[in-house]
Amino acid sequence: MIKLLIFWDIFGRNWRRLVKKYVPDLKKKYSPDFMIANSENMTSGKAAVVKHILEMKELGFDCLTWWNHSFSNLKDNEEYLNSKDSIQIRPANYFNHPKYKVPGKWYIIIEKNWKKILVINLVSSVFIWWQVYNPFMKVDEILAETWDKFDAIIVDFHRETTAESYAMSEYLDSRASLMYGTHTHVQTNDEHILSWWTAMITDIWMVGSLHSSLGQKFEWRIPWFVTGLNIFSPKNEVDMWKGLVNWLYVEIENWKTVKIEKIKIIEEN
Ligand SMILES: [Fe+2]
């Protein structure tokens, strides 16, 4: 049996604090074999710097996924991203060119407690970033080589449309253990196990402020929606309230997901 805790988008300083506050107890309660999170907004709404990636590693995270701010702190983290020990991965389906290499690992294999899992991060080409290989074809390519070598395969699919999450999960049914959608930052109530054994949820949500727009301040987002202009300076992390930690708890047996549960804590302040 493999037990997983999956958090998504730990959104900046306040929410790194929240993870540090709650994760030790969650680890005691769930005894997870592996922990995964996302760090696309981890450092002041931009990609995690090495210091913050290592803080997460210290807390017990085995893998951090990315997009769409993946490369916003390259000065700080490029060397780390390319290192053997990096726990940070980026989407697998960026274009690949021998001369112009996109930094970072495009999947990660984690071995612990006699268990071996593969984590793949994909990004959609619909309404989000069209300059990538088709994620369906890319995931076929990866799974064609590796599917029987692991105890579980986890896919983080970063996309805008909910329909695409469903299509991808059905496409992966019986080939991956779990597919979760990310990016929309609003949790869906549709977690379930498909007709074979792959589990899915359209969106996990985030570790951030419940009273926010995608984890960002209303004083920035509202004028943006009203005027159509992104000129009202963002001050992330200030004055936002109702800290939210939410996660997926997943149990996988012989490849097959047998349990998927979403859980949340709201910190009142
Ligand atoms: Fe995103």
Side-chain angles (χ1 to χ4, degrees), residues 4-268:
L4 283 166
L5 288 185
I6 301 174
F7 299 74
W8 209 75
D9 201 359
I10 300 166
F11 208 116
R13 186 194 313 135
N14 272 337
W15 322 113
R16 293 196 309 273
R17 173 190 65 79
L18 224 55
V19 167
K20 284 177 205 157
K21 178 174 169 184
Y22 289 109
V23 159
D25 282 346
L26 296 177
K27 279 166 70 180
K28 271 186 216 146
K29 186 172 173 195
Y30 292 94
S31 325
D33 297 295
F34 301 96
M35 295 205 317
I36 301 171
N38 174 279
S39 61
E40 71 168 343
N41 294 300
M42 187 172 278
T43 300
S44 304
K46 292 188 171 173
V49 293
V50 178
K51 183 176 170 232
H52 298 151
I53 297 171
L54 295 178
E55 274 176 25
M56 293 300 131
K57 192 175 177 183
E58 187 67 34
L59 276 172
F61 286 94
D62 302 289
C63 169
L64 301 174
T65 59
W66 247 357
W67 183 268
N68 45 338
H69 308 293
S70 291
F71 304 118
S72 52
N73 266 319
L74 273 186
K75 255 190 196 160
D76 175 274
N77 59 24
E78 186 166 5
E79 198 179 320
Y80 177 82
L81 296 183
N82 290 324
S83 70
K84 192 169 74 43
D85 295 336
S86 170
I87 63 162
Q88 178 71 66
I89 60 171
R90 48 83 169 169
N93 53 322
Y94 286 125
F95 291 143
N96 213 359
H97 189 284
K99 195 173 166 191
Y100 307 108
K101 285 196 173 13
V102 178
K105 293 179 179 174
W106 47 283
Y107 63 84
I108 190 167
I109 297 162
I110 315 162
E111 265 187 281
K112 250 167 73 181
N113 313 330
W114 307 101
K115 290 158 189 160
K116 192 173 177 181
I117 69 165
L118 170 70
V119 184
I120 304 167
N121 190 188
L122 295 169
V123 63
S124 167
S125 52
V126 180
F127 302 144
I128 171 166
W129 190 252
W130 60 272
Q131 290 171 305
V132 286
Y133 292 119
N134 180 301
F136 290 80
M137 289 165 75
K138 190 67 187 181
V139 81
D140 275 352
E141 205 182 300
I142 299 170
L143 296 182
E145 285 179 30
T146 56
W147 80 277
D148 57 348
K149 295 181 194 148
F150 303 98
D151 299 303
I153 293 180
I154 313 299
V155 177
D156 173 335
F157 186 29
H158 206 67
R159 87 292 162 267
E160 195 74 67
T161 67
T162 50
E164 203 181 3
S165 281
Y166 270 81
M168 180 62 87
S169 64
E170 182 64 22
Y171 194 65
L172 292 175
D173 192 12
S174 82
R175 296 194 293 156
S177 314
L178 168 70
M179 186 231 74
Y180 54 93
T182 60
H183 179 66
T184 33
H185 293 87
V186 176
Q187 191 170 51
T188 55
N189 196 25
D190 61 346
E191 74 281 9
H192 66 294
I193 298 168
L194 307 183
S195 49
W196 287 90
W197 59 74
T198 302
M200 73 86 73
I201 181 167
T202 296
D203 203 287
I204 294 193
W205 213 354
M206 61 180 169
V207 179
S209 169
L210 181 61
H211 187 71
S212 69
S213 171
L214 300 188
Q216 292 158 341
K217 286 194 84 170
F218 290 117
E219 77 179 39
W220 173 37
R221 301 294 290 202
I222 289 175
W224 187 353
F225 281 114
V226 170
T227 65
L229 296 172
N230 179 17
I231 57 171
F232 303 91
S233 57
K235 292 189 186 102
N236 288 338
E237 308 172 29
V238 185
D239 296 337
M240 291 195 295
W241 49 281
K242 284 200 188 291
L244 168 76
V245 183
N246 78 308
W247 66 95
L248 276 188
Y249 172 67
V250 178
E251 291 178 357
I252 298 169
E253 257 181 50
N254 304 325
W255 258 87
K256 305 174 183 181
T257 298
V258 292
K259 183 173 190 172
I260 175 167
E261 212 175 276
K262 55 185 192 320
I263 307 160
K264 74 176 175 199
I265 298 172
I266 293 174
E267 181 192 49
E268 296 290 342

